[in-house]
Amino acid sequence: METETIVFDHVHLLSENPSAAAEWYVDMLDGKITANIEVGGAPQVTVDFIGAKIIIRGQRSGEEAVHKKALYWGTDHFGFRVTGDLDRFCQVLKQKGAMFTLEPVDFGPKVRIAFIQAPDGVSIELLKRKI
């Protein structure tokens, strides 16, 4: 009998400017744009990170997106695990102009984390697991 498993595939984001947001993910985090299409009357750009994707789309006709004003229920952030030196990686991001909401810090004995602000109010955790 076969056993079912799941593998993370993508995060889907809504953006005021999908092309500019996608370029941010390419410039800051070395993603690769693999699709730039129109779906449901709105632009949709896919940025690939070695198999996991961020799909960024614009507002469709009839939709009314609003800016986040405070803490809300639902997704708070998503994270990227950094291979190599987290602090050096963060220094490179700072040189590129990334905005840190949390500088690199030990978060317990086995994890070091940092948070950056992405376009459209998206929060991204960068983490290094210590072995």
Side-chain angles (χ1 to χ4, degrees):
M1 175 179 241
E2 215 173 297
T3 301
E4 290 76 21
T5 61
I6 61 171
V7 175
F8 184 79
D9 188 78
H10 71 275
V11 171
H12 202 121
L13 306 175
L14 185 61
S15 176
E16 285 187 272
N17 187 336
S19 293
E23 287 299 331
W24 185 93
Y25 287 97
V26 168
D27 293 343
M28 288 291 171
L29 302 174
D30 295 326
K32 180 180 177 190
I33 293 175
T34 56
N36 192 343
I37 59 176
E38 185 177 299
V39 177
Q44 182 167 298
V45 184
T46 301
V47 182
D48 192 276
F49 294 90
I50 311 173
K53 298 168 187 61
I54 296 176
I55 300 171
I56 309 165
R57 76 163 175 92
Q59 185 171 270
R60 294 179 181 146
S61 179
E63 293 180 330
E64 189 176 334
V66 296
H67 291 278
K68 299 175 205 170
K69 294 184 169 72
L71 188 62
Y72 60 95
W73 299 114
T75 303
D76 177 66
H77 69 274
F78 61 90
F80 284 106
R81 187 174 57 244
V82 176
T83 59
D85 187 325
L86 174 70
D87 292 86
R88 186 172 41 234
F89 185 80
C90 290
Q91 279 303 115
V92 170
L93 289 180
K94 280 184 186 180
Q95 291 169 357
K96 291 180 177 182
M99 207 168 176
F100 281 76
T101 56
L102 180 68
E103 296 288 331
V105 63
D106 288 331
F107 191 72
K110 295 189 177 190
V111 176
R112 187 161 177 81
I113 65 171
F115 277 86
I116 58 174
Q117 189 67 45
D120 304 300
V122 174
S123 181
I124 299 174
E125 179 181 7
L126 304 169
L127 66 121
K128 173 70 178 184
R129 297 197 187 279
K130 300 174 186 177
I131 297 175

